[in-house]
Amino acid sequence: MTAPSGFEAVIGLEVHAQLRTASKAFCGCSTRFGDEPNTNVCPVCLGLPGALPVLNRGVVESAVRMGLAVGSSIAPTSIFARKNYFYPDLPKGYQISQYDEPICRGGTVEIDLDGGARRQVRLTRIHMEEDAGKSIHDAGDGTLVDVNRSGVPLIEIVSEPDVRSPREAALYVQKIRQIVTYLGICDGNMEEGSLRCDANVSVRPAGTAALGTKTEVKNMNSFRNVERAIEFELNRQIALLRSGGTVLQETLLWDAESNTAHPMRSKEEADDYRYFPEPDLVPVTAAEAWVAQLRSELPEHPTLRRDRFEKTYGLPRYDADVLTAERGTADYFESVVRELGALGADSAKAASNWVMTDVLRVVGERRIDIAEFSVPPSSLAGMIRLIGNGTISGKIAKEVFSAMLETGERPERIIDERGLLQLSDETAIGKVVDDVIARNPGPLATYRSGNAQLLGFFVGEVMKQTKGKANPQVVNALLKQRLT
Ligand code: ADP
Ligand code: MG
Ligand code: ZN
């Protein structure tokens, strides 16, 4: 995509995903978020003299699964390295990371552009590392340090500079989030910092190939902020270049409050981490058979699942996107379709409508995971079938749905107990129709004088009389017949 100014944006992203292992990368401390500060710590994650790290197998497994999901090649042997730097939230004085021999190389992430086109973003590498602690600057005087997060495992996913716009960057991070949550290796929560993104940004004259000087923007805690921060930085660089200036290689911190990015450190102070192989850990081996087993156990890739939903269930692309955005939603939807199939009904589109609107609305309102949603797929399927075969109207179904939500009862039972059966009997509805016509001579005259809009009034009256249970098609047919 070309910026209007004749410059092209060049963006490479570094995404850190916090892994969902129960214990830290190199010790047995808990990784739980939100515990009392400095309670999940031990000599290993504090880096006390003599303490020795032991690698958590779950970390390697998560990294390999991610690599397999995006088509990386998995290194049979990879090496941890020390990245040395001083910072108050890093009591060890170094971070255990991977440097020149990461566990995964290459791979691609396919993003879906607005409008349906697809783009491949190449990955450079995925490596394992540990998180640092957290400095807390806004809790009274001075700065406090919480080291609970020290040693919590991360994977860092580094892209090639293939991203061409702020929007693409946000879509890329969204896709990464979707993949890691499908794999179950990261909870994907950007606000809590479980998924973090640094954007490397440069511009070049459109049509040229050489890369411009890049800056790195950090500290964006939502997709929206990723987009806005990159937008801001591109505009800044373009304005600078147009006024004859040069871009300095520096790191900027995004400030969502002021919508600006401020320099954090410049190249003059560029870090020299003095990486060297971590002497306390042996090389990591990923045996071929183990990798093959992990590959065979991978869940369906969300993009493939989306495509399959379109094809197999004949759903619009929009539906397929919404239903597969989260794995739990896709699983729930497919359970409903399966239950419908068992009932001999084939109404994937109806199932999609109910899941996309009513189910997701309740899940959102209650801030729950769809796995905790109280209406089992079999009940929803049962209700959809009862609409399909005319037992209840779509309007009554909304009431049945609320009742299922509150009571957990089966739809048949609710319909039975509350007398919600749809009224389709022509004789019974005919009586109500005649009664309504007889009691409204005024509207009847108006209707007969050519004001056909009044049909709606009569339909409404009949529905009122039958408490919404009359079959709307029958009502309409009878009214049209008897009004004229
Ligand atoms: P560094 O050593 O500064 O971390 P790397 O070469 O490791 O730089 O690249 C880090 C990230 O920056 C990668 O995602 C890469 O694609 C991206 N990148 C590198 N050069 C540029 C550039 N000129 N413009 C935009 N992104 C770039
Ligand atoms: Mg970097
Ligand atoms: Zn520990």
Side-chain angles (χ1 to χ4, degrees):
M1 194 177 142
T2 304
S5 48
F7 284 98
E8 180 181 52
V10 177
I11 300 156
L13 297 158
E14 296 166 286
V15 174
H16 288 88
Q18 208 174 76
L19 299 177
R20 286 181 58 203
T21 54
S23 55
K24 292 185 179 180
F26 305 110
C27 63
C29 293
S30 168
T31 55
R32 221 174 9 251
F33 180 84
D35 277 1
E36 278 296 299
N38 303 314
T39 52
N40 296 329
V41 288
C42 75
V44 174
C45 51
L46 286 175
L48 300 186
L52 287 174
V54 177
L55 176 60
N56 180 343
R57 183 189 175 89
V59 175
V60 188
E61 185 173 315
S62 299
V64 170
R65 293 180 68 230
M66 181 61 184
L68 292 172
V70 293
S72 306
S73 60
I74 312 297
T77 307
S78 69
I79 294 192
F80 278 107
R82 284 192 188 180
K83 179 178 180 179
N84 300 282
Y85 66 98
F86 172 80
Y87 204 76
D89 67 16
L90 189 77
K92 287 218 291 261
Y94 60 86
Q95 179 189 19
I96 303 178
S97 181
Q98 294 196 297
Y99 185 51
D100 47 6
E101 296 196 47
I103 187 143
C104 306
R105 284 181 204 273
T108 44
V109 170
E110 183 180 274
I111 56 175
D112 304 302
L113 303 181
D114 304 304
R118 298 163 188 239
R119 243 173 71 72
Q120 310 291 327
V121 176
R122 291 168 301 157
L123 298 184
T124 314
R125 56 190 270 149
I126 302 172
H127 67 254
M128 304 177 280
E129 61 184 27
E130 59 177 340
D131 213 340
K134 216 178 195 167
S135 297
I136 300 155
H137 303 290
D138 53 5
D141 295 338
T143 292
L144 303 173
V145 174
D146 175 8
V147 288
N148 278 354
R149 210 176 62 181
S150 303
V152 167
L154 307 171
I155 50 172
E156 178 172 342
I157 304 150
V158 183
S159 86
E160 290 290 299
D162 282 354
V163 174
R164 290 289 170 269
S165 73
R167 177 72 185 144
E168 281 184 24
L171 291 170
Y172 170 85
V173 182
Q174 268 173 38
K175 185 56 84 177
I176 297 271
R177 178 183 186 277
Q178 196 189 25
I179 295 169
V180 295
T181 56
Y182 261 69
L183 292 170
I185 61 175
C186 169
D187 67 27
N189 190 327
M190 286 190 88
E191 267 159 42
E192 287 179 0
S194 324
L195 193 73
R196 306 195 284 269
C197 163
D198 302 336
N200 297 271
V201 178
S202 68
V203 295
R204 63 184 173 199
T208 63
L211 293 175
T213 303
K214 74 174 163 80
T215 59
E216 184 168 350
V217 193
K218 290 176 178 285
N219 197 36
M220 293 87 78
N221 67 353
S222 68
F223 303 126
R224 184 82 198 99
N225 278 323
V226 169
E227 207 169 328
R228 282 160 57 195
I230 296 173
E231 183 97 57
F232 169 89
E233 180 52 14
L234 285 171
N235 288 335
R236 190 188 69 87
Q237 290 186 15
I238 291 170
L240 194 61
L241 292 173
R242 293 177 120 193
S243 66
T246 46
V247 174
L248 295 179
Q249 182 166 339
E250 60 186 349
T251 301
L252 304 155
L253 272 191
W254 174 246
D255 176 12
E257 298 277 306
S258 66
N259 266 318
T260 49
H262 306 290
M264 186 170 99
R265 51 173 182 257
S266 72
K267 196 181 171 150
E268 280 68 32
E269 311 147 40
D271 317 281
D272 177 3
Y273 295 117
R274 297 193 48 233
Y275 281 98
F276 62 84
E278 166 60 61
D280 292 337
L281 288 166
V282 294
V284 182
T285 53
E288 210 175 307
W290 182 60
V291 173
Q293 190 195 332
L294 291 177
R295 186 193 299 278
S296 72
E297 292 165 359
L298 281 185
E300 187 177 16
H301 191 288
T303 302
L304 295 179
R305 198 170 193 187
R306 195 265 322 280
D307 294 347
R308 181 168 63 78
F309 274 28
E310 271 189 275
K311 241 171 70 197
T312 312
Y313 302 122
L315 294 175
R317 168 66 175 268
Y318 175 82
D319 292 40
D321 269 331
V322 173
L323 294 173
T324 58
E326 309 263 349
R327 184 175 171 185
T329 311
D331 290 344
Y332 186 90
F333 166 78
E334 289 210 279
S335 298
V336 175
V337 171
R338 220 174 298 120
E339 296 283 347
L340 276 167
L343 296 170
D346 171 23
S347 15
K349 180 56 182 151
S352 167
N353 291 344
W354 279 93
V355 173
M356 287 199 306
T357 55
D358 301 78
V359 175
L360 288 183
R361 171 179 51 77
V362 173
V363 165
E365 278 167 7
R366 301 192 172 178
R367 294 167 176 277
I368 54 169
D369 194 277
I370 196 163
E372 306 160 63
F373 183 63
S374 61
V375 178
S378 61
S379 291
L380 186 60
M383 194 195 76
I384 292 169
R385 188 180 71 117
L386 293 173
I387 306 167
N389 68 14
T391 307
I392 54 171
S393 66
K395 187 153 177 263
I396 291 295
K398 298 282 175 189
E399 192 181 333
V400 175
F401 182 78
S402 305
M404 290 198 300
L405 207 55
E406 257 131 55
T407 63
E409 302 266 18
R410 297 274 317 163
E412 296 82 359
R413 172 108 187 244
I414 291 166
I415 292 164
D416 202 41
E417 278 177 353
R418 307 191 178 199
L420 297 174
L421 272 188
Q422 175 160 271
L423 193 57
S424 295
D425 177 63
E426 296 202 5
T427 324
I429 296 177
K431 273 193 194 132
V432 181
V433 165
D434 290 340
D435 181 52
V436 166
I437 293 175
R439 281 199 284 144
N440 292 286
L444 178 65
T446 318
Y447 180 86
R448 288 196 171 148
S449 71
N451 193 340
Q453 278 181 346
L454 270 163
L455 180 66
F457 163 80
F458 286 102
V459 172
E461 287 300 300
V462 174
M463 283 308 194
K464 231 186 268 167
Q465 296 289 316
T466 58
K467 301 200 171 65
K469 287 182 290 183
N471 182 326
Q473 273 128 8
V474 178
V475 173
N476 268 291
L478 287 179
L479 273 170
K480 276 185 190 155
Q481 180 190 83
R482 297 188 188 182
L483 281 170
T484 38

